[in-house]
Short mmCIF file of all heavy atoms in Angstrom, two decimals:
data_model
loop_
_atom_site.label_atom_id
_atom_site.label_comp_id
_atom_site.label_asym_id
_atom_site.label_seq_id
_atom_site.Cartn_x
_atom_site.Cartn_y
_atom_site.Cartn_z
N GLY A 1 0.78 -1.23 0.00
CA GLY A 1 0.00 0.00 0.00
C GLY A 1 0.81 1.28 0.00
O GLY A 1 0.24 2.37 0.03
N THR A 2 2.12 1.17 -0.05
CA THR A 2 2.95 2.37 -0.10
C THR A 2 2.87 3.00 -1.49
O THR A 2 3.01 2.31 -2.49
CB THR A 2 4.41 2.03 0.21
OG1 THR A 2 4.49 1.44 1.52
CG2 THR A 2 5.28 3.28 0.16
N THR A 3 2.65 4.31 -1.51
CA THR A 3 2.53 5.01 -2.78
C THR A 3 3.71 5.96 -2.99
O THR A 3 4.32 6.43 -2.03
CB THR A 3 1.23 5.83 -2.84
OG1 THR A 3 1.20 6.76 -1.76
CG2 THR A 3 0.01 4.92 -2.74
N SER A 4 3.99 6.22 -4.25
CA SER A 4 5.03 7.18 -4.59
C SER A 4 4.65 7.84 -5.91
O SER A 4 3.92 7.25 -6.72
CB SER A 4 6.40 6.51 -4.70
OG SER A 4 6.38 5.46 -5.64
N TYR A 5 5.16 9.07 -6.09
CA TYR A 5 4.78 9.87 -7.26
C TYR A 5 5.99 10.61 -7.80
O TYR A 5 6.90 10.98 -7.05
CB TYR A 5 3.73 10.90 -6.86
CG TYR A 5 2.47 10.31 -6.28
CD1 TYR A 5 2.35 10.07 -4.92
CD2 TYR A 5 1.40 9.97 -7.12
CE1 TYR A 5 1.21 9.51 -4.39
CE2 TYR A 5 0.25 9.42 -6.59
CZ TYR A 5 0.16 9.19 -5.24
OH TYR A 5 -0.98 8.63 -4.72
N THR A 6 5.96 10.84 -9.10
CA THR A 6 6.97 11.70 -9.66
C THR A 6 6.68 13.13 -9.20
O THR A 6 5.52 13.49 -8.95
CB THR A 6 6.99 11.61 -11.20
OG1 THR A 6 8.15 12.25 -11.70
CG2 THR A 6 5.75 12.23 -11.81
N ASP A 7 7.71 13.93 -9.07
CA ASP A 7 7.56 15.26 -8.47
C ASP A 7 6.52 16.13 -9.17
O ASP A 7 5.80 16.89 -8.52
CB ASP A 7 8.91 16.00 -8.47
CG ASP A 7 9.86 15.46 -7.43
OD1 ASP A 7 9.42 14.71 -6.53
OD2 ASP A 7 11.07 15.77 -7.50
N SER A 8 6.42 16.02 -10.48
CA SER A 8 5.55 16.92 -11.23
C SER A 8 4.07 16.69 -10.98
O SER A 8 3.24 17.54 -11.33
CB SER A 8 5.84 16.82 -12.73
OG SER A 8 5.56 15.51 -13.19
N VAL A 9 3.71 15.56 -10.37
CA VAL A 9 2.28 15.28 -10.13
C VAL A 9 1.93 15.21 -8.65
O VAL A 9 0.76 15.03 -8.31
CB VAL A 9 1.84 13.97 -10.83
CG1 VAL A 9 2.24 13.98 -12.30
CG2 VAL A 9 2.39 12.74 -10.13
N LYS A 10 2.92 15.35 -7.78
CA LYS A 10 2.65 15.28 -6.34
C LYS A 10 1.63 16.34 -5.95
O LYS A 10 1.74 17.50 -6.33
CB LYS A 10 3.95 15.47 -5.56
CG LYS A 10 4.84 14.25 -5.57
CD LYS A 10 6.11 14.48 -4.76
CE LYS A 10 7.01 13.26 -4.78
NZ LYS A 10 8.29 13.49 -4.07
N GLY A 11 0.64 15.91 -5.18
CA GLY A 11 -0.40 16.83 -4.74
C GLY A 11 -1.55 16.96 -5.73
O GLY A 11 -2.58 17.53 -5.39
N ARG A 12 -1.37 16.45 -6.94
CA ARG A 12 -2.43 16.54 -7.95
C ARG A 12 -2.99 15.17 -8.34
O ARG A 12 -4.16 15.05 -8.66
CB ARG A 12 -1.88 17.22 -9.22
CG ARG A 12 -1.39 18.63 -8.99
CD ARG A 12 -1.09 19.33 -10.33
NE ARG A 12 -0.03 18.66 -11.08
CZ ARG A 12 -0.16 18.19 -12.33
NH1 ARG A 12 -1.32 18.30 -12.95
NH2 ARG A 12 0.86 17.63 -12.95
N PHE A 13 -2.14 14.15 -8.34
CA PHE A 13 -2.56 12.81 -8.75
C PHE A 13 -2.57 11.89 -7.54
O PHE A 13 -1.75 12.02 -6.62
CB PHE A 13 -1.58 12.23 -9.77
CG PHE A 13 -1.60 12.88 -11.13
CD1 PHE A 13 -2.27 14.07 -11.37
CD2 PHE A 13 -0.94 12.28 -12.19
CE1 PHE A 13 -2.28 14.66 -12.62
CE2 PHE A 13 -0.94 12.85 -13.45
CZ PHE A 13 -1.60 14.05 -13.67
N THR A 14 -3.50 10.93 -7.57
CA THR A 14 -3.59 9.94 -6.51
C THR A 14 -3.79 8.55 -7.11
O THR A 14 -4.71 8.35 -7.90
CB THR A 14 -4.75 10.24 -5.56
OG1 THR A 14 -4.60 11.56 -5.02
CG2 THR A 14 -4.79 9.23 -4.41
N ILE A 15 -2.93 7.62 -6.73
CA ILE A 15 -3.07 6.23 -7.17
C ILE A 15 -3.79 5.45 -6.08
O ILE A 15 -3.55 5.67 -4.89
CB ILE A 15 -1.70 5.60 -7.51
CG1 ILE A 15 -1.88 4.23 -8.14
CG2 ILE A 15 -0.80 5.54 -6.29
CD1 ILE A 15 -0.59 3.64 -8.72
N SER A 16 -4.67 4.55 -6.50
CA SER A 16 -5.38 3.71 -5.55
C SER A 16 -5.72 2.38 -6.20
O SER A 16 -5.48 2.19 -7.40
CB SER A 16 -6.66 4.42 -5.06
OG SER A 16 -7.55 4.64 -6.13
N ARG A 17 -6.30 1.51 -5.42
CA ARG A 17 -6.64 0.18 -5.96
C ARG A 17 -7.81 -0.37 -5.16
O ARG A 17 -8.09 0.06 -4.04
CB ARG A 17 -5.44 -0.75 -5.85
CG ARG A 17 -5.06 -0.98 -4.40
CD ARG A 17 -3.80 -1.71 -4.21
NE ARG A 17 -3.52 -1.82 -2.77
CZ ARG A 17 -2.44 -2.34 -2.27
NH1 ARG A 17 -1.51 -2.84 -3.08
NH2 ARG A 17 -2.25 -2.40 -0.97
N ASP A 18 -8.45 -1.37 -5.76
CA ASP A 18 -9.57 -2.05 -5.12
C ASP A 18 -9.41 -3.53 -5.41
O ASP A 18 -9.63 -3.97 -6.54
CB ASP A 18 -10.89 -1.51 -5.67
CG ASP A 18 -12.09 -2.12 -4.97
OD1 ASP A 18 -11.97 -3.23 -4.41
OD2 ASP A 18 -13.16 -1.50 -4.98
N GLY A 19 -9.02 -4.29 -4.40
CA GLY A 19 -8.79 -5.71 -4.60
C GLY A 19 -10.06 -6.47 -4.95
O GLY A 19 -10.02 -7.47 -5.68
N THR A 20 -11.19 -6.02 -4.44
CA THR A 20 -12.46 -6.71 -4.68
C THR A 20 -12.81 -6.71 -6.17
O THR A 20 -13.28 -7.71 -6.71
CB THR A 20 -13.59 -6.06 -3.88
OG1 THR A 20 -13.26 -6.10 -2.49
CG2 THR A 20 -14.90 -6.79 -4.12
N THR A 21 -12.59 -5.58 -6.81
CA THR A 21 -12.94 -5.45 -8.22
C THR A 21 -11.74 -5.64 -9.14
O THR A 21 -11.88 -5.57 -10.36
CB THR A 21 -13.56 -4.07 -8.49
OG1 THR A 21 -12.62 -3.06 -8.08
CG2 THR A 21 -14.86 -3.90 -7.73
N LYS A 22 -10.56 -5.88 -8.56
CA LYS A 22 -9.32 -6.07 -9.33
C LYS A 22 -9.02 -4.85 -10.19
O LYS A 22 -8.68 -4.98 -11.38
CB LYS A 22 -9.37 -7.34 -10.17
CG LYS A 22 -9.54 -8.61 -9.36
CD LYS A 22 -9.46 -9.87 -10.19
CE LYS A 22 -10.65 -10.03 -11.08
NZ LYS A 22 -10.64 -11.31 -11.83
N MET A 23 -9.18 -3.68 -9.59
CA MET A 23 -8.99 -2.44 -10.32
C MET A 23 -7.92 -1.58 -9.67
O MET A 23 -7.75 -1.58 -8.45
CB MET A 23 -10.29 -1.63 -10.35
CG MET A 23 -11.46 -2.30 -11.04
SD MET A 23 -11.27 -2.31 -12.83
CE MET A 23 -11.44 -0.56 -13.18
N ALA A 24 -7.22 -0.81 -10.49
CA ALA A 24 -6.34 0.24 -10.01
C ALA A 24 -6.79 1.54 -10.67
O ALA A 24 -7.36 1.53 -11.76
CB ALA A 24 -4.89 -0.05 -10.35
N TYR A 25 -6.52 2.65 -9.99
CA TYR A 25 -7.01 3.94 -10.47
C TYR A 25 -5.90 4.99 -10.39
O TYR A 25 -4.99 4.89 -9.57
CB TYR A 25 -8.18 4.41 -9.61
CG TYR A 25 -9.34 3.45 -9.57
CD1 TYR A 25 -9.49 2.56 -8.52
CD2 TYR A 25 -10.29 3.44 -10.59
CE1 TYR A 25 -10.55 1.68 -8.48
CE2 TYR A 25 -11.35 2.56 -10.56
CZ TYR A 25 -11.49 1.68 -9.51
OH TYR A 25 -12.54 0.81 -9.47
N LEU A 26 -6.05 5.98 -11.23
CA LEU A 26 -5.22 7.17 -11.13
C LEU A 26 -6.17 8.37 -11.21
O LEU A 26 -6.70 8.66 -12.28
CB LEU A 26 -4.17 7.25 -12.22
CG LEU A 26 -3.20 8.42 -12.11
CD1 LEU A 26 -2.30 8.25 -10.87
CD2 LEU A 26 -2.34 8.58 -13.36
N GLN A 27 -6.37 9.00 -10.08
CA GLN A 27 -7.19 10.21 -10.04
C GLN A 27 -6.28 11.38 -10.34
O GLN A 27 -5.31 11.63 -9.62
CB GLN A 27 -7.84 10.38 -8.67
CG GLN A 27 -8.65 11.67 -8.55
CD GLN A 27 -9.87 11.67 -9.43
OE1 GLN A 27 -10.76 10.83 -9.29
NE2 GLN A 27 -9.95 12.63 -10.36
N MET A 28 -6.59 12.10 -11.39
CA MET A 28 -5.77 13.23 -11.82
C MET A 28 -6.58 14.51 -11.68
O MET A 28 -7.69 14.60 -12.21
CB MET A 28 -5.33 13.05 -13.26
CG MET A 28 -4.63 11.72 -13.53
SD MET A 28 -3.98 11.58 -15.21
CE MET A 28 -5.49 11.57 -16.14
N THR A 29 -6.04 15.46 -10.96
CA THR A 29 -6.71 16.75 -10.78
C THR A 29 -5.77 17.87 -11.23
O THR A 29 -4.58 17.66 -11.43
CB THR A 29 -7.12 16.97 -9.33
OG1 THR A 29 -5.95 17.04 -8.50
CG2 THR A 29 -8.01 15.84 -8.83
N GLU A 30 -6.34 19.06 -11.36
CA GLU A 30 -5.56 20.24 -11.77
C GLU A 30 -4.68 19.92 -12.97
O GLU A 30 -3.48 20.23 -12.97
CB GLU A 30 -4.72 20.73 -10.59
CG GLU A 30 -5.53 21.11 -9.37
CD GLU A 30 -4.64 21.47 -8.18
OE1 GLU A 30 -3.59 22.10 -8.40
OE2 GLU A 30 -4.99 21.09 -7.05
N LEU A 31 -5.26 19.32 -13.96
CA LEU A 31 -4.48 18.88 -15.12
C LEU A 31 -3.88 20.06 -15.86
O LEU A 31 -4.48 21.15 -15.96
CB LEU A 31 -5.35 18.04 -16.04
CG LEU A 31 -5.57 16.60 -15.55
CD1 LEU A 31 -6.75 15.96 -16.23
CD2 LEU A 31 -4.31 15.77 -15.77
N LYS A 32 -2.69 19.81 -16.38
CA LYS A 32 -1.94 20.83 -17.11
C LYS A 32 -1.65 20.31 -18.52
O LYS A 32 -1.61 19.09 -18.75
CB LYS A 32 -0.61 21.10 -16.40
CG LYS A 32 -0.75 21.51 -14.95
CD LYS A 32 0.62 21.65 -14.29
CE LYS A 32 0.48 22.05 -12.83
NZ LYS A 32 1.80 22.18 -12.16
N PRO A 33 -1.40 21.21 -19.46
CA PRO A 33 -1.07 20.76 -20.82
C PRO A 33 0.12 19.80 -20.85
O PRO A 33 0.14 18.88 -21.68
CB PRO A 33 -0.74 22.07 -21.54
CG PRO A 33 -1.58 23.08 -20.84
CD PRO A 33 -1.56 22.66 -19.39
N GLU A 34 1.06 19.97 -19.95
CA GLU A 34 2.23 19.09 -19.93
C GLU A 34 1.90 17.69 -19.41
O GLU A 34 2.77 16.80 -19.44
CB GLU A 34 3.37 19.69 -19.10
CG GLU A 34 2.97 20.17 -17.73
CD GLU A 34 2.66 21.67 -17.69
OE1 GLU A 34 2.00 22.18 -18.63
OE2 GLU A 34 3.08 22.32 -16.71
N ASP A 35 0.68 17.47 -18.94
CA ASP A 35 0.25 16.12 -18.56
C ASP A 35 -0.23 15.32 -19.77
O ASP A 35 -0.52 14.13 -19.64
CB ASP A 35 -0.88 16.19 -17.53
CG ASP A 35 -0.44 16.79 -16.21
OD1 ASP A 35 0.68 16.47 -15.74
OD2 ASP A 35 -1.21 17.59 -15.64
N THR A 36 -0.31 15.96 -20.92
CA THR A 36 -0.75 15.28 -22.13
C THR A 36 0.20 14.15 -22.48
O THR A 36 1.42 14.35 -22.59
CB THR A 36 -0.82 16.28 -23.30
OG1 THR A 36 -1.83 17.24 -23.02
CG2 THR A 36 -1.13 15.57 -24.61
N ALA A 37 -0.34 12.95 -22.62
CA ALA A 37 0.47 11.76 -22.90
C ALA A 37 -0.44 10.56 -23.05
O ALA A 37 -1.64 10.64 -22.75
CB ALA A 37 1.46 11.51 -21.77
N VAL A 38 0.14 9.46 -23.48
CA VAL A 38 -0.54 8.17 -23.38
C VAL A 38 -0.18 7.59 -22.01
O VAL A 38 1.01 7.53 -21.66
CB VAL A 38 -0.11 7.21 -24.50
CG1 VAL A 38 -0.80 5.85 -24.32
CG2 VAL A 38 -0.44 7.79 -25.87
N TYR A 39 -1.18 7.20 -21.26
CA TYR A 39 -0.98 6.66 -19.92
C TYR A 39 -1.14 5.14 -19.94
O TYR A 39 -2.11 4.62 -20.50
CB TYR A 39 -1.98 7.30 -18.95
CG TYR A 39 -1.60 8.71 -18.57
CD1 TYR A 39 -1.71 9.75 -19.49
CD2 TYR A 39 -1.11 9.00 -17.30
CE1 TYR A 39 -1.34 11.04 -19.16
CE2 TYR A 39 -0.75 10.29 -16.95
CZ TYR A 39 -0.86 11.31 -17.88
OH TYR A 39 -0.50 12.60 -17.55
N TYR A 40 -0.19 4.47 -19.31
CA TYR A 40 -0.16 3.01 -19.31
C TYR A 40 -0.23 2.48 -17.88
O TYR A 40 0.47 2.98 -16.99
CB TYR A 40 1.14 2.50 -19.94
CG TYR A 40 1.33 2.86 -21.38
CD1 TYR A 40 1.98 4.03 -21.74
CD2 TYR A 40 0.88 2.01 -22.39
CE1 TYR A 40 2.17 4.37 -23.07
CE2 TYR A 40 1.07 2.34 -23.73
CZ TYR A 40 1.70 3.52 -24.06
OH TYR A 40 1.89 3.84 -25.39
N CYS A 41 -1.01 1.45 -17.71
CA CYS A 41 -1.04 0.72 -16.45
C CYS A 41 0.05 -0.35 -16.49
O CYS A 41 0.28 -0.98 -17.54
CB CYS A 41 -2.41 0.07 -16.28
SG CYS A 41 -2.63 -0.86 -14.76
N ASN A 42 0.71 -0.54 -15.38
CA ASN A 42 1.83 -1.48 -15.29
C ASN A 42 1.69 -2.31 -14.02
O ASN A 42 1.25 -1.80 -12.99
CB ASN A 42 3.14 -0.70 -15.28
CG ASN A 42 4.35 -1.56 -14.98
OD1 ASN A 42 4.68 -1.80 -13.81
ND2 ASN A 42 5.01 -2.02 -16.01
N ALA A 43 2.10 -3.57 -14.12
CA ALA A 43 2.11 -4.44 -12.94
C ALA A 43 3.34 -5.31 -12.97
O ALA A 43 3.77 -5.75 -14.04
CB ALA A 43 0.85 -5.30 -12.91
N LYS A 44 3.89 -5.53 -11.80
CA LYS A 44 5.11 -6.34 -11.69
C LYS A 44 4.90 -7.50 -10.73
O LYS A 44 4.33 -7.32 -9.65
CB LYS A 44 6.27 -5.48 -11.20
CG LYS A 44 6.71 -4.39 -12.17
CD LYS A 44 7.90 -3.64 -11.63
CE LYS A 44 8.47 -2.64 -12.61
NZ LYS A 44 7.55 -1.54 -12.91
N ILE A 45 5.39 -8.67 -11.15
CA ILE A 45 5.45 -9.84 -10.28
C ILE A 45 6.87 -10.37 -10.38
O ILE A 45 7.24 -10.94 -11.39
CB ILE A 45 4.46 -10.94 -10.71
CG1 ILE A 45 3.04 -10.40 -10.78
CG2 ILE A 45 4.54 -12.12 -9.74
CD1 ILE A 45 2.04 -11.40 -11.32
N LEU A 46 7.63 -10.11 -9.34
CA LEU A 46 9.05 -10.47 -9.32
C LEU A 46 9.72 -9.88 -10.57
O LEU A 46 9.74 -8.69 -10.75
CB LEU A 46 9.21 -11.98 -9.23
CG LEU A 46 8.60 -12.62 -7.97
CD1 LEU A 46 8.77 -14.13 -8.00
CD2 LEU A 46 9.24 -12.02 -6.72
N ARG A 47 10.23 -10.72 -11.47
CA ARG A 47 10.94 -10.20 -12.64
C ARG A 47 10.03 -10.02 -13.85
O ARG A 47 10.45 -9.53 -14.89
CB ARG A 47 12.08 -11.15 -13.02
CG ARG A 47 13.14 -11.26 -11.96
CD ARG A 47 14.22 -12.26 -12.36
NE ARG A 47 15.21 -12.45 -11.31
CZ ARG A 47 16.19 -13.33 -11.37
NH1 ARG A 47 16.31 -14.10 -12.44
NH2 ARG A 47 17.06 -13.44 -10.39
N ASP A 48 8.77 -10.40 -13.72
CA ASP A 48 7.83 -10.26 -14.84
C ASP A 48 7.13 -8.92 -14.77
O ASP A 48 6.82 -8.42 -13.69
CB ASP A 48 6.81 -11.39 -14.82
CG ASP A 48 7.44 -12.74 -15.09
OD1 ASP A 48 8.43 -12.79 -15.86
OD2 ASP A 48 6.98 -13.74 -14.53
#
């Protein structure tokens, strides 16, 4: 449950998850033009 953020989004973005629904979320607020990008979800299991 430990979270971390890149400096440019601290205070604006929040990552969370829900084990019951097998979902992860990224709540983004105060969006800026420099946030424009393709966003990808990533998951790691050991080396995979």
Side-chain angles (χ1 to χ4, degrees):
T2 301
T3 58
S4 57
Y5 301 89
T6 192
D7 286 346
S8 63
V9 308
K10 284 181 180 176
R12 299 190 298 123
F13 290 12
T14 303
I15 187 170
S16 63
R17 63 189 178 184
D18 184 337
T20 301
T21 57
K22 299 185 290 184
M23 297 287 292
Y25 302 97
L26 184 67
Q27 177 67 60
M28 306 185 293
T29 64
E30 301 175 39
L31 283 162
K32 305 175 180 180
E34 50 264 43
D35 295 319
T36 295
V38 178
Y39 284 71
Y40 297 90
C41 181
N42 171 275
K44 294 182 174 66
I45 305 175
L46 299 178
R47 297 178 183 175
D48 293 327

